[in-house]
């Protein structure tokens, strides 16, 4: 199995690196608390714990911002900020089984 977690990040927000890291790590913490995946899958994933962070346009972020996925907004820690979507953790996919959605495959890695 070639498992990886995918986190989609809004590149249009001008967040400091530390702020972005805090918000992305919040999506990880919420993911690990969420019990949606089987113990077997989580056990296999915990061996490698690959995380792929991708630049994602707002329309795709909105598409994946559902109850099934973990969405982090810019006002997660500071209620005075806007309610923009910072990132969406869409979960774990097996890259060998071609499980990654096609629109996600087209995105570029996030770098600053």
């Amino acid at each position: 199995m070639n498992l990886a977690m995918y986190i989609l990040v809004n590149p249009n927000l001008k967040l400091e690196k530390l702020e972005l890291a805090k918000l992305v790590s919040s999506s990880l913490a919420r993911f690990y608390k969420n019990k949606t995946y089987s113990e077997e899958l989580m056990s296999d994933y915990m061996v490698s714990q690959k995380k792929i962070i991708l630049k994602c346009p707002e329309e795709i972020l909105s598409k994946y911002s559902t109850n099934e996925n973990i969405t982090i907004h810019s006002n997660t820690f500071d209620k005075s900020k806007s309610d923009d979507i910072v990132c969406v953790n869409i979960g774990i996919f097996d890259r060998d089984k071609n499980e990654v959605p096609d629109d996600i495959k087209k995105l570029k890695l996030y770098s600053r």
Side-chain angles (χ1 to χ4, degrees):
M1 292 182 122
N2 184 8
L3 301 175
M5 178 186 295
Y6 285 78
I7 302 170
L8 313 177
V9 174
N10 185 344
N12 298 329
L13 300 179
K14 303 300 178 207
L15 297 172
E16 297 293 324
K17 288 180 185 179
L18 185 60
E19 181 72 11
L20 181 61
K22 179 171 64 171
L23 294 168
V24 168
S25 66
S26 177
S27 84
L28 292 170
R30 290 180 186 186
F31 176 85
Y32 290 127
K33 289 180 184 177
N34 188 351
K35 304 292 183 197
T36 4
Y37 292 95
S38 70
E39 284 186 35
E40 180 183 356
L41 179 70
M42 286 305 293
S43 172
D44 289 342
Y45 172 72
M46 294 305 280
V47 171
S48 67
Q49 294 191 27
K50 293 178 191 168
K51 294 158 196 77
I52 298 176
I53 301 174
L54 302 168
K55 290 181 188 178
C56 186
E58 291 181 37
E59 60 272 4
I60 296 176
L61 282 171
S62 295
K63 173 184 170 184
Y64 285 98
S65 180
T66 65
N67 289 337
E68 294 85 36
N69 297 320
I70 297 165
T71 302
I72 304 296
H73 294 265
S74 55
N75 66 358
T76 297
F77 297 109
D78 182 354
K79 299 301 177 194
S80 65
K81 292 186 178 181
S82 66
D83 193 30
D84 295 317
I85 297 173
V86 174
C87 65
V88 178
N89 185 328
I90 61 171
I92 300 169
F93 295 92
D94 189 341
R95 296 164 53 174
D96 289 340
K97 292 183 180 177
N98 203 22
E99 292 179 344
V100 181
D102 288 336
D103 54 350
I104 301 303
K105 289 178 186 176
K106 297 174 186 174
L107 301 176
K108 306 256 187 247
L109 288 174
Y110 186 90
S111 65
R112 280 262 271 208

